[in-house]
Amino acid sequence: MTVEATDNDFHASRLNSVRERFSDWKVESILIESASNRFWLSGFSGSSGWLLVSKDKAILGTDSRYWVQAEKQSPDFEFRRFQGNQDEYMAEFVAEAGDGAIGIESQHITLKQFKQLNKVAEAQWVQLEDSIESLRKTKTKQEVEIIRSAAAITDMAMAMVNELARPGMSEKELAWELEKFMKESGASGLAFPVIVASGPNAARPHHEPGDRQLSLGDSIIVDMGAKLNGYCSDLTRSFFLGNQLSDRFSEIYNTVLVAQENVLKNMKSGMSGAKIDSFAREIIDNAGYGDEFGHALGHGVGIDIHESPSLSSRAPELGLMAGSVVTVEPGIYIENWGGVRIEDLVVLTVDGNQSLSHCQKIPLIPA
């Protein structure tokens, strides 16, 4: 299923939502360089370019590599062709904002870029810690459908692990087969490099697949996500390679599964990320594995694989809004043995949540 992410109506709506925040930000315009924010607001997916949005203007500037693409993808924006001396074209571009303070993305603009902007343009800059990201926290129905389609591709790939994985196969070989399957199934790319962590390597949540061969008795964590039309998905399943689950694996797997089920049963919009995190953490703590669950329960997913909001004991007390797409991924990791993580992608609703992940949880891979 393909869903276009560049519908003119919702990009016009997003421009309005940005302008409505100007008074809160105490600016008259905003300059945007972040690729993800640029794509969300304009639909332009090129790797380089700037947006300038004021109360009465919306302008996109980029270099010759993207002139045709930019005009096609961003019809709601006036277009400026950057060429020649960078100092000159950036000075002219920023001058179009007119008088008044200009907001910049302090999380994305480098010190070098900021020095360059100060050099080429006399302006009152306002550093915005959280600008467009705050508007991206909740997803439209159209965005959710794109993510759902990306998740469906990831589900299909994960379902292949029980068939593909075998003793003697390297982590890298399995990761490649899964990457190839997602791309052949319609993914435009990967949300992040596929993680395959086997045996002791599964004690490292973000292990990079290597030459280690899968062996009988291994716990195996597979974490991956397809990217589709600019949006990401995220899914993790844990497996055991052998003819029968070991007692240790079964105990740890069931603890993680019960923790995740408790979250999915209780989480809903209006709750803080810390409260949602506690639904899993209390169960894992009570089972005696609190020190082995070191990461947050989950994170937002959208254009970026990690974005707001956060499901963490350190998350802000603000309640999450309906339409937030987040992961729920408790895990237990034991040094020199391995680990278990189970992750599903969900969208929060007014009275609960809806799963976007549907791959079965079948941990045994018969050898």
Side-chain angles (χ1 to χ4, degrees):
M1 177 181 178
T2 300
V3 185
E4 287 297 331
T6 54
D7 180 83
N8 294 352
D9 291 338
F10 78 68
H11 285 111
S13 173
R14 289 174 180 182
L15 277 170
N16 290 334
S17 67
V18 168
R19 288 169 172 143
E20 288 171 359
R21 297 297 302 275
F22 282 179
S23 59
D24 294 335
W25 294 335
K26 296 180 172 55
V27 302
E28 298 296 321
S29 58
I30 185 171
L31 184 66
I32 298 166
E33 191 273 341
S34 157
S36 296
N37 288 339
R38 194 172 60 226
F39 173 73
W40 180 86
L41 187 55
S42 71
F44 174 56
S45 61
S47 65
S48 178
W50 295 81
L51 302 182
L52 183 63
V53 179
S54 65
K55 292 179 179 179
D56 56 2
K57 290 183 179 181
I59 309 171
L60 163 62
T62 189
D63 62 67
S64 60
R65 294 173 295 171
Y66 301 113
W67 288 347
V68 174
Q69 176 182 339
E71 288 190 287
K72 181 179 179 180
Q73 289 183 325
S74 307
D76 293 314
F77 282 70
E78 298 178 46
F79 183 53
R80 301 292 181 268
R81 299 189 174 207
F82 289 168
Q83 56 184 328
N85 184 282
Q86 181 178 350
D87 290 355
E88 292 179 1
Y89 68 66
M90 281 306 298
E92 294 173 0
F93 189 69
V94 172
E96 296 201 54
D99 297 330
I102 305 173
I104 56 171
E105 310 162 292
S106 62
Q107 293 188 58
H108 303 290
I109 298 290
T110 66
L111 181 59
K112 181 178 180 181
Q113 287 174 319
F114 187 56
K115 287 181 176 178
Q116 185 71 11
L117 288 172
N118 272 321
K119 174 184 173 184
V120 303
E122 293 184 6
Q124 179 188 345
W125 302 107
V126 176
Q127 299 183 43
L128 302 176
E129 294 294 330
D130 185 19
S131 56
I132 305 301
E133 287 85 357
S134 64
L135 302 172
R136 289 169 46 197
K137 287 181 182 180
T138 58
K139 307 300 188 280
T140 64
K141 290 181 180 180
Q142 186 171 7
E143 287 178 298
V144 171
E145 289 308 309
I146 298 170
I147 296 170
R148 192 191 306 275
S149 297
I153 294 171
T154 312
D155 283 339
M156 290 189 294
M158 190 69 78
M160 297 294 295
V161 173
N162 295 77
E163 300 177 26
L164 291 170
R166 61 187 184 276
M169 186 182 208
S170 73
E171 295 171 338
K172 288 195 299 188
E173 288 174 326
L174 180 55
W176 167 245
E177 291 297 330
L178 296 170
E179 176 179 347
K180 184 170 63 171
F181 183 91
M182 285 191 286
K183 290 180 176 178
E184 289 175 346
S185 299
S188 52
L190 300 182
F192 55 93
V194 176
I195 294 171
V196 175
S198 65
N201 292 338
R204 299 196 289 269
H206 281 183
H207 171 70
E208 183 177 339
D211 293 322
R212 186 186 184 280
Q213 295 182 342
L214 310 184
S215 302
L216 292 176
D218 277 351
S219 62
I220 304 169
I221 291 177
V222 178
D223 187 352
M224 60 184 168
K227 195 160 192 175
L228 183 67
N229 293 338
Y231 286 81
C232 301
S233 64
D234 201 355
L235 178 71
T236 304
R237 293 290 183 263
S238 292
F239 303 90
F240 183 87
L241 186 57
N243 291 316
Q244 183 176 344
L245 301 180
S246 71
D247 291 342
R248 190 178 197 186
F249 180 88
S250 293
E251 179 201 355
I252 293 171
Y253 185 91
N254 288 331
T255 299
V256 173
L257 181 60
V258 169
Q260 193 205 38
E261 289 174 342
N262 194 47
V263 176
L264 297 176
K265 180 177 69 175
N266 290 291
M267 70 185 294
K268 60 182 179 181
S269 61
M271 292 180 174
S272 70
K275 177 64 176 178
I276 296 171
D277 177 274
S278 73
F279 292 137
R281 201 161 300 277
E282 288 174 2
I283 287 175
I284 293 176
D285 284 348
N286 291 338
Y289 293 106
D291 291 341
E292 285 72 45
F293 178 24
H295 58 70
L297 173 67
H299 54 85
V301 174
I303 295 171
D304 293 321
I305 190 58
H306 289 95
E307 57 182 50
S308 294
S310 171
L311 306 185
S312 162
S313 58
R314 297 181 295 276
E317 287 302 313
L318 295 174
L320 276 65
M321 293 183 286
S324 298
V325 174
V326 296
T327 65
V328 177
E329 50 180 310
I332 293 174
Y333 311 91
I334 299 175
E335 190 173 356
N336 298 320
W337 176 76
V340 170
R341 180 168 66 255
I342 304 172
E343 174 187 27
D344 286 306
L345 195 60
V346 304
V347 56
L348 288 174
T349 61
V350 173
D351 56 358
N353 63 86
Q354 181 185 97
S355 180
L356 302 177
S357 301
H358 300 289
C359 182
Q360 291 184 314
K361 297 162 187 173
I362 304 175
L364 184 64
I365 302 176

